[in-house]
Structures are given as structure tokens and as C-alpha cells.
Amino acid sequence: MYGQGLIKGLSVTFSRFFESYTEDIRWLFKRYSKVEFHSSKDTRGTFTIQYPEERLIIPEEFRYVPFLVYDEGENGEKNIRCTSCGICAKACPPQCIWIVRTSDPVTGRPLPQPAEFYIDADICMNCGFCAEYCPFDAIKMDHDFEIASYTRNLLNKERLMKPASYYAGIRPKNNAREEAARAEKAAAKAAKP
Amino acid sequence: MESTHKSNMATPVLTETIDLAAKFPGRVTPDARPGYSGWMVAKEALVEVSTAIRDELGYDLLSNVTGVDYPEQSKLEVVYHVYKTTGGPALTFKTQTERVDPAEVPSLVSVWPGAELQEREAWDMFGIKFTGHPDLRRILMWEGFEGFPMRKDYKEPFHEEDNKPLKSRWPEGKHSYAEARNPYGDNIMFKPGFDPEKWTPTDPEEALYAALKKYKTEEKDGIKTDHIIVNMGPQHPSTHGVFRAVVVLDGETIVSLKPVMGYLHRNHEKIGERNTFLQNVPYTDRLDYFNSMYNAWPYALAVEKLMGLKVPERAEYIRVIMGELSRIQNHLILFGMLWNDLGAYFTPALYAFEERELILDIYEAVAGSRMMCNYQRFGGVVRDIDEANMKKIKDLVFERLPRKIEEFDRLLSENEIFVARMKGIGYLSPEDAVAYSVTGPTLRAAGIPYDIRRADPYGIYDRFEFDIPVRHNSDLLDRYLVRVDEIRQCLRILQQAVKQIPEGPFLAGKPQYQVRVPAGEVYGRVEAPKGELGFYVISTGKGNPYRYHIRTPSFINITSVEKMCVGTKIADFVTILGMVDIVLGELDR
Ligand code: SF4
Ligand code: SF4
């Protein structure tokens, strides 16, 4: 019969349409958000969410413009982990990392600290190579993706620095793994005479 | 409806060795440079030899044509990779010409019409003049552009250094904006001696319009008729990006058509030759941005071949799992967007996007990004799929997707309007499809069971049981149905892969940001969702690839669009183009 295929297709659309209401009613009486349900295999009904009131869950591995990790000292001083070894600047595909190495004013020898550190976030392609290849866990990818601004995003050292506790908050599993590896290394070092 | 349309193509075992040098003494010699392979053909004999390669040896599919610049030897080289549609490895042959303008090489369009756009690209990028080419114009750059960008001595605006990493970044890395270093303070550069005041513009499109079939004024029933030219695009909703087609119409019927592209061109290959080997991986994500999981695979294959790396078992499985998920979501988007083109706005497209979202959620959780995955590394992948995500994949593969694909099938496949718009439209004969180097679902809808996963297996595809779906009418409906069948086969592969995946390492060796790639040339190719995706890489043992060329399916499949469109109505052009499944990031590179 002509039109059978059409009706078949429309029945799919209709059941979806109907479902979008029944699902809304179902969630009306639940207090927690349905965002989690969204990424499960059983999701049905309206698929879109009301950003920014509702937000999708950001997985741990999600990566956005990097930041520099510092450890908080006892008196609140910021001990930056970066040693200005330059590996991230060399690995960066669009070459958007600029680092000025500190040198000892007397001897002229390089010191393990960056004097200046810039990331041009407008050029950064969020590839994550800097975080992947940094040997000191000093640069990590962020979760903060809402960086729209009226000016260009040239991030300097001040703007890039974030505490280690923040890092542990956004990437708990990675942090735990790295801490363990560092502890192991330190133990091995201590064991050596 | 699936079972009757498949072909169990076996992987051919090729043992014959071809000695072209003995066949054409004096005109063909083996390419003896260390790390290179294939044959060097004298350019005078090129057409004769390639005709013999096609007709006598049976290499009917011209896969890849590209130029290479050797300023030290003062040579320009053209490299050809040809395959048999019955399967098997490539036959590579090359020809060289002096590096003086005009550098001339005979065109092979008369042997393989699929060379048309690729030769235009080589002309545009290297300035190799293909004598006998029917329509040799610039293709990615605009007419009037000065210089040939892929030549080694070409320097682009803001050129700082030949290769990355740039010395200005460390240890004295004071940030400066690129435009501040430009004498004009703007993102432009003029050729030396150029004076904007004295410049008189010429019409850069003249050659394009001249390439179309001519107007002809006729009298029909006492009324004067004329052909008209319509420019579809570059800003046109149906071209899915900045693609333009110039169409000559007789009434509503298409008489002649020329694709115009390059609006999204950024010279990916030049950037790639400046990058280190590893730095190219995230850039490949920007080619076909719907399938970034698949794009870096052939590149990784090529570089791994040069390095002699063995990929661990688990990584091979992960690549297959991620790749096949990518194929599913690619076809789903295509269906959704196809309905948009046909006038059913966004309902099917958003249904398709739901399933795609779930797949992208997995990408995000595993690779870190939904579209710019940056997941492949040389010798494996960057991160393992953990328990939780594996469970998600299993849920999708065993439960949700099979159900949803059937729902999609119910929604679309039998719809009478849909069928009426698709059946018998856009016919391309199987002979033409092969001659025009068409690959992917379009070729399989023409009855040719050519799928690289079977024809020339890579990774671990030889372990899985699956069919190559084939249809025989070679119209739009068949191209749609082949893809539906293909999704079902993807699910079959996925179901086997998630069951079989072993534990173990997911990356060979230690992660390294500078890899040592021995000198040599290599061509790596895969069956990407849109067709054959190949990377031609030459290494000289340094940190950067000497040549980095990408054979993209979108670009080469476009060659046949004119053939499919002539004689159909202008409204069908939109659907035909949609079904070729182009994506502009890959088309324009
Ligand atoms: S962030 Fe890491 S890789 Fe970059 S300079 Fe500092 S220590 Fe080296
Ligand atoms: S994420 Fe990639 S592009 Fe961005 S700073 Fe790091 S290495 Fe460079």
C-alpha cells in the first residue's frame, strides 16, 4: 500500500514525541537531575539540557587550556613545580608556549624555575601534549572551558598558576596515580646511599 | 533486507612479482634510493607504461597522485600509487622532471580520469604542468596566487623557521603576537615589488567559466532558450560548509558542473612538513572532524611501518573499537543531514545526533575530547579504555545501537517520499566509479566489493567475521542502503572485538615526544568511513617529515560528481553531493 512506509516512519516520530512528555513528567517528581541518565544507554525523551542551569558531567580526562600546578607551602608560599626544562614548549604543536628560563644572577647558570611563562590560549589547540610529556607533573589540562572574553587570552604565569589541591579536585584518579609514582621515586632515591 | 546483499570477498594472496624494468627496458628502472621502493618511469614513456599497468597488469584503481620537491637534485617528482579493485598491495611508480619552469609531465587523466583533481592539486602546490590535462587550473589556491606553496623554498607569511620546535620559544621565550612582526601590521604579505596602487585586477574566475560547457542560444518552438549559470555556494546550506559548485543549467537540468574549493584551505601538508612527526597527530583530527578517531590511524600505520614498531594487541583492539564506533556515528550524521537536504528539517538529524552524542561521550571520557580526540600514538594509543567506559561501549554495542539502527531504518528506509527522491538518481556506472578513483560506500553501491579492511587488511581486521555490503543499482538509494548494512556490520565487528579484547599494554615502548623515524618512504591507507584515506610520508631521518601528503576520500570522490549530476535536476544535485559524503576540513585541507 502506498504510504505505508510513511506511516511507519511517522509512528517512530510520534512515539518519540509522546515519550518526551511522559519522560518529563517522570522526572518532575525526582529531585536529582537527569543529566546522568542522559549519557546512559536507556536515555529517552528530550535529549537536550538547559545549559547553564543544567550541566553535563565533565569526565576526568576532559582537557582544556592547560594550567601550571603549584604546591602550597606551609606559610602559604607557592612552590611552582615547573623547572623550565622546556619540554612542553618543544612538544607543543602550534608552538604557543613561551618560557623564559631563570638564571642565577651571579653564576649565570640556569635555575629550575621559569622567570616568565606564557600560553597563548587563542592558539592552543587543547591537544594535551604539554601535560602528557612534562616530566614533573607541572603542567596539566584544565576543566574550565568558559573562557570567552572581550580581549585575547594571553595567559601569563600569574593567570596560569593553580594549586595542587585544585588539580587533585578535577583529576582525582590521575593525581593519585602520579602521587604514588612520585612517592615511589622518592623512596627509591632515599634508599640509595 | 540485508542478507542477500553482501559479498564474502576473500583477501587475495598475491605472490606474483612484477618486473616492470624487464618489460620496458630503458624506460623503467627500479627506484633504488635507500628506503624507497617502486619504479621510476621515464616521463616520455609514462602514458604508455601506465596504460600497460592498467590494461595488462590489471591495476585499475588510481589511488594517489602527488608531487615531491627535491631542490638539491633539482628535480620534481610525481608519485603514483595504483591498486587492483580485486585487492592486494600497491604498485608504486614515479616520474621525474627537471626543476625548471615549466616543469612538464604528461597527464594521466586519459588513462585514469580520477587523476583530474589530484593533478590539479600537484600543479597548484608544486607547479608541475601536466601536459594534456583537460582543465589545468589552480584548485586549492586562487587564480592569481603567486608561487607554489609546497615547494621547499616557498616561505609563507610569518615564516619564522623551517622546522618546529621554534628557537624563539625557549629558553628566551618572550611572547609576541605574529601580526606585530609583519611589516603591514595585518595578516597579509605581498610579493616583492607589489604596489597595490598600481594593481589592476583581472577576473580570476574567467578560466573557471571557460572550463564549463559553453552557452548556446537556440530557438525552441519559436522561443529563444539559453543556458544559465548558477553558483551554488560557497555559502549554501546544502553544501555542508564552504563548498561551491558552478552549474550550467538548461531549464532545470544540469548540463555541466565544476566544483570550486579551497575556501577552507590552510595547507595542512605544509604545516605537517614543519611539524615534528608526533605534532601531526592532533592536526589530523582537523581533517575529517567527524572521524578524528580514524584519521590518525593511517598516519600512525605509515610511521610505525617506517619505525618498525609492533603495536600491542590491546591497542589494536582499541583502535578497531574506536574506529568502528566512529564509522557508525559518521553514517548516522550522514543520514540525518541527508534528510535535512531533502527537506525534513532536523527531526531525523537530531535523532541521529543522540546516538552520536553517546559515542562522543565515550570519546570524551577516554580521549579527553569529543571531536579533537588526539588519541593515536606511534605504537598504540595514549590511554587505555577503563572498566567503566568499556561497560558503556558494551551497553551501546549490544543493547542500544542495534535497537536504534532498526528504529532509524523504520523511520527512513521505506518512506515513499524518500525513496522517490533517491531511486534511480545519480547513477554512476561501476566502470566509471573505478576510473574516477571513487572509494568507500559509493563504490560498493556500484557493485564493487572493494573495502580495504578486506582487500588489503591492516591492523587486526583479518581476525573478524564480517561481510562487505554491496548493492548493484549505483543510485542514491543504494548508497544509502549500503551504509545501513555497513552499520550492522560495524556492530558485528564491535561485538566480536569487545568480547575478545585482551588485557595488556596499550602503547609500545615509553611515551616519547621526539621519535626517531628512519629514512624512507611509506604509504599507509585505511578504509575510513568516507572511503580510502591514505598518508604518504617521506622521512629523511630528521625530526620532521620531508614529505607529508594526505589522500583524502572527500577530495577524490568529488571528481565523479559532475558525471553523476549531468542530466539530473538541479534539486537532485543537493542530494547527490550529500551522498558523496564530503567534509570540508578534509576536502580543502
Ligand atoms: S611545565 Fe613541565 S615540561 Fe614545561 S618547562 Fe615546566 S617542567 Fe618542563
Ligand atoms: S595543550 Fe597542546 S597546544 Fe595547548 S599548550 Fe599544551 S601542547 Fe600546546
Side-chain angles (χ1 to χ4, degrees):
Chain A
M1 191 190 79
Y2 190 83
Q4 208 168 11
L6 251 169
I7 291 168
K8 229 168 152 185
L10 282 174
S11 70
V12 173
T13 330
F14 183 76
S15 66
R16 290 258 193 155
F17 173 74
F18 188 69
E19 236 169 40
S20 69
Y21 286 103
T22 51
E23 277 300 298
D24 273 2
I25 292 165
R26 195 158 81 86
W27 286 98
L28 210 58
F29 303 105
K30 300 201 174 157
R31 255 172 301 147
Y32 55 94
S33 112
K34 68 183 217 186
V35 170
E36 202 163 332
F37 181 65
H38 253 281
S39 57
S40 78
K41 67 176 199 307
D42 304 310
T43 175
R44 55 208 293 197
T46 341
F47 197 71
T48 42
I49 60 152
Q50 300 295 326
Y51 178 83
E53 288 80 23
E54 282 177 305
R55 277 154 187 278
L56 289 178
I57 301 158
I58 297 180
E60 175 164 348
E61 294 300 345
F62 174 73
R63 54 183 145 80
Y64 209 66
V65 179
F67 64 94
L68 290 173
V69 187
Y70 68 80
D71 293 309
E72 287 143 303
E74 272 160 26
N75 310 319
E77 73 266 25
K78 299 173 176 179
N79 300 326
I80 191 164
R81 287 184 187 171
C82 173
T83 61
S84 77
C85 68
I87 287 177
C88 55
K90 286 182 214 157
C92 176
Q95 296 283 291
C96 66
I97 303 183
W98 280 261
I99 305 170
V100 182
R101 190 165 58 188
T102 327
S103 20
D104 193 309
V106 189
T107 58
R109 302 264 289 277
L111 288 177
Q113 255 223 7
E116 285 169 59
F117 201 113
Y118 299 100
I119 291 179
D120 196 333
D122 300 328
I123 297 177
C124 172
M125 70 202 294
N126 304 322
C127 68
F129 276 170
C130 47
E132 210 174 306
Y133 296 107
C134 172
F136 302 96
D137 300 325
I139 190 164
K140 291 291 167 196
M141 299 305 283
D142 211 338
H143 278 185
D144 177 19
F145 54 88
E146 290 158 319
I147 61 163
S149 69
Y150 285 104
T151 53
R152 288 163 109 173
N153 289 306
L154 175 64
L155 310 178
N156 59 14
K157 203 167 103 185
E158 260 47 70
R159 286 210 28 207
L160 283 169
M161 291 222 293
K162 291 195 180 174
S165 54
Y166 172 78
Y167 173 57
I170 61 169
R171 291 178 198 268
K173 278 191 212 143
N174 278 299
N175 186 51
R177 196 174 55 234
E178 285 156 13
E179 297 242 290
R182 273 201 302 272
E184 202 175 297
K185 238 186 193 170
K189 216 174 171 186
K192 263 196 208 147
Chain B
M1 74 202 302
E2 55 179 330
S3 53
T4 51
H5 297 283
K6 63 193 178 194
S7 125
N8 281 314
M9 175 188 190
T11 305
V13 189
L14 277 196
T15 44
E16 55 166 341
T17 43
I18 297 154
D19 192 356
L20 280 183
K23 213 169 149 68
F24 299 97
R27 285 160 292 173
V28 181
T29 46
D31 185 353
R33 291 170 289 180
Y36 286 61
S37 59
W39 306 94
M40 192 62 82
V41 183
K43 72 174 181 182
E44 294 72 30
L46 188 64
V47 175
E48 180 204 346
V49 172
S50 31
T51 311
I53 287 174
R54 183 193 65 184
D55 295 340
E56 289 167 33
L57 302 177
Y59 286 88
D60 46 358
L61 185 76
L62 175 74
S63 159
N64 178 44
V65 181
T66 188
V68 187
D69 182 17
Y70 292 103
E72 271 107 68
Q73 288 92 12
S74 185
K75 292 274 191 232
L76 281 167
E77 186 174 293
V78 187
V79 185
Y80 303 87
H81 290 91
V82 287
Y83 289 90
K84 294 181 181 176
T85 43
T86 46
L91 180 75
T92 313
F93 60 98
K94 298 151 195 181
T95 188
Q96 285 194 336
T97 180
E98 290 304 314
R99 197 175 184 271
V100 281
D101 290 318
E104 287 185 348
V105 168
S107 164
L108 288 189
V109 174
S110 57
V111 186
W112 289 288
E116 188 189 340
L117 295 191
Q118 305 200 60
E119 287 187 349
R120 276 178 67 188
E121 189 196 346
W123 155 246
D124 192 2
M125 294 290 137
F126 288 92
I128 300 168
K129 207 166 191 140
F130 291 91
T131 47
H133 190 286
D135 181 22
L136 196 65
R137 288 177 288 118
R138 284 196 177 268
I139 185 164
L140 296 172
M141 309 307 286
W142 59 97
E143 285 303 328
F145 178 79
E146 175 70 19
F148 300 108
M150 285 308 292
R151 287 198 183 176
K152 287 283 166 191
D153 49 12
Y154 179 87
K155 308 246 186 292
E156 75 278 20
F158 305 138
H159 176 87
E160 215 183 305
E161 248 177 86
D162 277 350
N163 293 326
K164 289 174 187 175
L166 305 174
K167 294 198 178 62
S168 64
R169 301 299 194 262
W170 181 86
E172 279 306 314
K174 290 261 191 238
H175 177 269
S176 68
Y177 285 113
E179 72 272 19
R181 284 178 262 135
N182 188 293
Y184 295 94
D186 210 343
N187 189 8
I188 48 167
M189 195 179 70
F190 300 113
K191 61 179 163 176
F194 179 82
D195 182 1
E197 301 293 317
K198 296 210 183 92
W199 180 64
T200 41
T202 48
D203 184 5
E205 308 269 72
E206 225 169 273
L208 163 65
Y209 292 121
L212 291 160
K213 262 216 182 111
K214 293 289 163 308
Y215 289 37
K216 66 173 198 285
T217 313
E218 275 176 13
E219 282 234 356
K220 260 191 203 155
D221 308 330
I223 305 168
K224 274 210 168 130
T225 66
D226 212 343
H227 289 181
I228 54 164
I229 289 188
V230 176
N231 269 292
M232 294 201 50
Q235 313 293 346
H236 193 281
S238 78
T239 57
H240 306 240
V242 277
F243 176 79
R244 172 177 160 211
V246 189
V247 196
V248 178
L249 292 180
D250 176 7
E252 271 191 69
T253 312
I254 298 174
V255 178
S256 171
L257 179 148
K258 286 279 168 197
V260 185
M261 57 193 92
Y263 297 95
L264 201 64
H265 180 60
R266 61 242 184 232
N267 214 337
H268 184 101
E269 294 180 11
K270 189 81 174 178
I271 298 172
E273 286 172 19
R274 294 228 194 294
N275 281 347
T276 62
F277 281 94
L278 183 73
Q279 283 172 350
N280 278 333
V281 174
Y283 278 92
T284 59
D285 295 345
R286 277 85 177 158
L287 287 169
D288 173 359
Y289 36 75
F290 289 126
N291 293 301
S292 54
M293 274 294 180
Y294 228 104
N295 288 344
W297 193 350
Y299 178 55
L301 274 182
V303 176
E304 280 155 8
K305 214 186 221 169
L306 278 177
M307 293 171 70
L309 266 182
K310 176 106 185 62
V311 181
E313 280 285 286
R314 187 170 173 88
E316 291 278 23
Y317 274 94
I318 292 177
R319 283 181 177 179
V320 168
I321 291 172
M322 291 308 209
E324 294 305 315
L325 282 174
S326 171
R327 194 184 308 274
I328 292 175
Q329 57 95 6
N330 177 74
H331 289 354
L332 282 174
I333 302 177
L334 175 75
F335 299 162
M337 287 303 158
L338 183 76
W339 269 77
N340 266 9
D341 293 346
L342 289 175
Y345 279 113
F346 280 108
T347 304
L350 286 173
Y351 288 3
F353 267 66
E354 270 182 29
E355 307 321 310
R356 175 170 185 258
E357 276 297 301
L358 294 175
I359 293 173
L360 294 197
D361 277 346
I362 293 168
Y363 286 0
E364 191 181 20
V366 176
S369 189
R370 305 176 84 77
M371 290 176 80
M372 302 299 136
C373 301
N374 188 16
Y375 191 54
Q376 313 278 357
R377 295 289 177 271
F378 307 132
V381 295
V382 60
R383 209 168 285 111
D384 204 358
I385 305 179
D386 60 12
E387 279 295 300
N389 287 307
M390 199 50 113
K391 171 148 192 321
K392 269 192 178 174
I393 294 175
K394 281 184 186 151
D395 284 347
L396 278 187
V397 175
F398 286 105
E399 282 185 50
R400 185 172 172 102
L401 285 176
R403 173 160 53 91
K404 286 290 168 181
I405 301 307
E406 294 321 312
E407 189 188 281
F408 230 82
D409 203 24
R410 225 170 33 243
L411 176 71
L412 300 177
S413 303
E414 284 171 49
N415 185 319
E416 281 81 0
I417 302 171
F418 182 68
V419 172
R421 287 289 310 267
M422 311 263 284
K423 206 168 191 157
I425 310 283
Y427 178 73
L428 185 71
S429 72
E431 296 77 27
D432 279 341
V434 176
Y436 279 88
S437 303
V438 172
T439 48
T442 316
L443 183 63
R444 293 191 283 277
I448 295 169
Y450 181 72
D451 186 317
I452 302 169
R453 291 176 294 174
R454 270 286 154 74
D456 186 11
Y458 52 94
I460 48 166
Y461 276 112
D462 45 0
R463 291 190 200 168
F464 300 114
E465 233 175 81
F466 63 101
D467 302 314
I468 307 295
V470 170
R471 300 261 165 172
H472 298 278
N473 294 328
S474 195
D475 57 358
L476 293 178
L477 188 63
D478 272 12
R479 284 173 208 151
Y480 164 77
L481 291 173
V482 154
R483 286 180 168 99
V484 176
D485 294 345
E486 219 163 79
I487 295 184
R488 296 198 177 105
Q489 298 303 324
C490 286
L491 287 174
R492 263 178 85 186
I493 298 177
L494 279 165
Q495 288 168 356
Q496 296 167 49
V498 294
K499 271 192 204 145
Q500 293 169 10
I501 185 169
E503 289 297 322
F506 52 90
L507 185 69
K510 267 193 172 169
Q512 279 176 309
Y513 72 98
Q514 279 284 26
V515 287
R516 281 206 41 76
V517 183
E521 62 157 8
V522 65
Y523 183 60
R525 59 174 198 152
V526 298
E527 183 72 34
K530 292 181 165 64
E532 174 177 340
L533 177 66
F535 279 70
Y536 176 66
V537 180
I538 298 180
S539 165
T540 48
K542 299 217 183 76
N544 316 73
Y546 182 79
R547 182 80 181 98
Y548 168 80
H549 173 71
I550 305 143
R551 179 248 193 253
T552 58
S554 296
F555 178 63
I556 290 154
N557 287 353
I558 275 288
T559 323
S560 64
V561 163
E562 177 168 18
K563 196 96 197 162
M564 294 185 210
C565 284
V566 170
T568 60
K569 300 271 184 276
I570 177 84
D572 291 328
F573 163 71
V574 169
T575 342
I576 293 173
L577 183 73
M579 258 306 177
V580 174
D581 198 4
I582 57 167
V583 59
L584 271 291
E586 181 178 81
L587 186 77
D588 288 344
R589 279 158 292 150

